[in-house]
Amino acid sequence: MSAEIINNHSFQEFWNWFETKEKEFFSILKDEDDVEVNFLDVNLHKLKELNEQFFLLAGMHDDSTAELIITVDGNIKDIVYAQELVAASPALENWKFTALKPELDIEDVNLRIGDHIFSKENIYFYSNDDEDYPDEIDLIFVHDDLNDQNENEVINGTYLFIDNYLGELNFVTQIDNFSISNKNDAEKELIPIEKLKDFLSWREREFTEKYDAATIKTTEDSYSLLEGTLENGFLMLATVNVDLLKWDKKASHPWISVLRIKYQGDENNGFPDDKDYDLFNLIEDEMTLELKTEEGNLNLGRETADNIREIYFVSKDFRKISKVLAETVEKYPDYDMSFEIYKDKYWQSFERYGIH
């Protein structure tokens, strides 16, 4: 990700450039004039200057309107930037700009890959429920023709079908876990794929009713210092919010964020020196000030071991924390930093600390 991604000025520069060519681009799409070279390649190059994770789709929305779709292929960390880029787009008479691949009507989703067809006639699903995690949406998708010989093609095609049917954002946010299975291995009655959206909407309504008002104050929480030993003999120290880990409404904050900072600590049993230690605490404090509790962000704690400091947050939504984490990485270029964001409704990632 380039530094410019955090500055909306660069988005405006892209649209200023696009406006100078929009009539030419419209003609290319309408006349199907070597679209890949004359439109896709040219625009993709410009988009990659903003963010390496940007991709695009384009075509005629109707006879008088061309559509440009900015997609990040489901990359959670970059969804917010695609949405912000499109939010900054100009109102052009013959153009429609869309952030993320939109959902499609089931009748409009028909794919053929090799000898295999993917449609509402041959794809099904069922829910793999777990009483220990009742709010988790774990789905098994089934294609009639899946077998050991065609596994790669049929699994990929089924995935693409569902991605197109639900749309990029819904696929990422509405389903917690999924797998694609052989019909003979199905453990429950198969449900036609055209009922998937209704099923997900029902589960989402239930979830919202249960957790929408869930809040927690963390100003007086107690923290626990946990120690362990790694296989290489180095120590592990973790400081975690015990009250949060015992919270019965964890699922209200399903997005887990991990900032990883690498440092040189081989001469200190894998731990940072005083200078690094103070800086890492400062970084965590800076992030906590930005990621306010009332906006749905909670600092869960940190772990230090084997030349790596990890800082953990849990959030109701992933958009703001995506930007804060990216800005933090940009702000401290002298350190090897990275981050990930993933969905984990019950914070199973932290069960290793043995606090329930």
Side-chain angles (χ1 to χ4, degrees):
M1 184 184 300
S2 63
E4 290 83 6
I5 194 65
I6 299 167
N7 184 350
N8 283 336
H9 177 68
S10 58
F11 290 168
Q12 197 55 57
E13 287 181 344
F14 170 81
W15 291 118
N16 290 343
W17 167 82
F18 190 93
E19 279 193 88
T20 67
K21 297 178 174 292
E22 60 100 358
K23 290 183 171 55
E24 175 189 345
F25 286 155
F26 178 82
S27 297
I28 290 168
L29 291 179
K30 188 170 179 61
D31 299 338
E32 298 183 355
D33 179 17
D34 201 353
V35 171
E36 183 171 353
V37 172
N38 294 329
F39 182 87
L40 296 179
D41 288 351
V42 172
N43 280 273
L44 185 60
H45 175 73
K46 283 287 187 181
L47 288 170
K48 292 290 187 182
E49 290 178 353
L50 299 176
N51 188 323
E52 278 295 325
Q53 297 302 319
F54 281 168
F55 300 92
L56 75 158
L57 301 168
M60 294 302 296
H61 181 71
D62 56 40
D63 287 343
S64 60
T65 309
E67 182 173 19
L68 172 61
I69 299 170
I70 309 296
T71 171
V72 293
D73 277 353
N75 189 320
I76 293 167
K77 295 192 289 188
D78 294 286
I79 284 174
V80 63
Y81 299 116
Q83 292 178 325
E84 288 186 347
L85 176 61
V86 169
S89 64
L92 300 178
E93 183 179 355
N94 298 116
W95 283 91
K96 173 181 171 65
F97 302 111
T98 302
L100 312 176
K101 288 174 282 188
E103 63 179 287
L104 297 175
D105 186 275
I106 192 71
E107 302 298 337
D108 297 328
V109 191
N110 287 283
L111 302 176
R112 177 186 286 274
I113 298 177
D115 297 328
H116 304 289
I117 293 173
F118 303 87
S119 74
K120 68 174 186 177
E121 309 299 334
N122 57 15
I123 298 176
Y124 309 87
F125 76 99
Y126 64 90
S127 179
N128 187 27
D129 302 319
D130 186 336
E131 62 182 18
D132 291 330
Y133 307 106
D135 298 304
E136 201 160 70
I137 298 177
D138 184 359
L139 301 181
I140 311 296
F141 295 105
V142 174
H143 189 287
D144 273 341
D145 301 335
L146 178 62
N147 58 47
D148 292 341
Q149 284 70 48
N150 61 27
E151 194 173 46
N152 287 339
E153 274 191 342
V154 174
I155 286 178
N156 289 338
T158 304
Y159 172 85
L160 285 173
F161 178 94
I162 299 160
D163 187 41
N164 283 307
Y165 178 39
L166 291 181
E168 189 170 354
L169 185 62
N170 290 337
F171 200 170
V172 166
T173 58
Q174 292 185 330
I175 298 174
D176 298 307
N177 304 297
F178 75 93
S179 60
I180 299 170
S181 180
N182 188 305
K183 191 173 186 178
N184 295 328
D185 295 331
E187 298 177 358
K188 291 185 179 179
E189 181 180 349
L190 299 181
I191 304 169
I193 197 66
E194 59 193 297
K195 296 185 181 296
L196 177 61
K197 287 183 181 179
D198 289 339
F199 172 81
L200 293 174
S201 294
W202 164 61
R203 292 293 301 268
E204 193 167 44
R205 284 194 302 273
E206 279 196 330
F207 184 83
T208 301
E209 289 172 6
K210 187 173 178 180
Y211 292 108
D212 200 38
T215 58
I216 188 170
K217 292 186 182 298
T218 58
T219 51
E220 298 180 5
D221 283 359
S222 56
Y223 285 76
S224 181
L225 181 64
L226 307 174
E227 295 185 21
T229 304
L230 305 179
E231 290 183 1
N232 63 6
F234 282 178
L235 289 177
M236 180 279 292
L237 284 180
T239 304
V240 294
N241 186 321
V242 176
D243 294 323
L244 266 186
L245 286 177
K246 291 180 177 180
W247 193 26
D248 64 353
K249 290 192 167 48
K250 293 184 181 75
S252 64
H253 290 62
W255 297 99
I256 310 297
S257 302
V258 184
L259 176 69
R260 292 190 179 89
I261 311 172
K262 294 183 179 179
Y263 55 85
Q264 292 298 323
D266 287 344
E267 296 180 1
N268 196 28
N269 203 24
F271 285 94
D273 59 26
D274 290 343
K275 173 175 167 290
D276 284 346
Y277 183 86
D278 291 341
L279 177 63
F280 301 160
N281 287 343
L282 172 65
I283 289 170
E284 185 171 347
D285 290 343
E286 288 175 346
M287 292 172 61
T288 302
L289 283 174
E290 281 283 315
L291 298 165
K292 296 177 174 55
T293 300
E294 59 270 22
E295 294 177 357
N297 302 289
L298 303 169
N299 178 215
L300 189 60
R302 68 210 64 88
E303 181 178 299
T304 309
D306 204 11
N307 303 328
I308 297 175
R309 162 69 65 91
E310 292 188 340
I311 301 171
Y312 307 121
F313 283 84
V314 292
S315 305
K316 278 193 170 184
D317 186 71
F318 55 84
R319 290 168 180 82
K320 181 170 183 178
I321 199 161
S322 298
K323 299 186 70 175
V324 170
L325 286 165
E327 289 165 3
T328 300
V329 171
E330 294 282 353
K331 185 176 178 180
Y332 296 97
D334 293 340
Y335 286 85
D336 182 359
M337 291 191 192
S338 63
F339 69 93
E340 67 172 320
I341 301 174
Y342 58 92
K343 198 176 187 188
D344 179 2
K345 272 183 181 162
Y346 290 91
W347 306 359
Q348 295 175 62
S349 319
F350 303 105
E351 288 179 359
R352 66 185 186 270
Y353 295 132
I355 299 171
H356 304 288

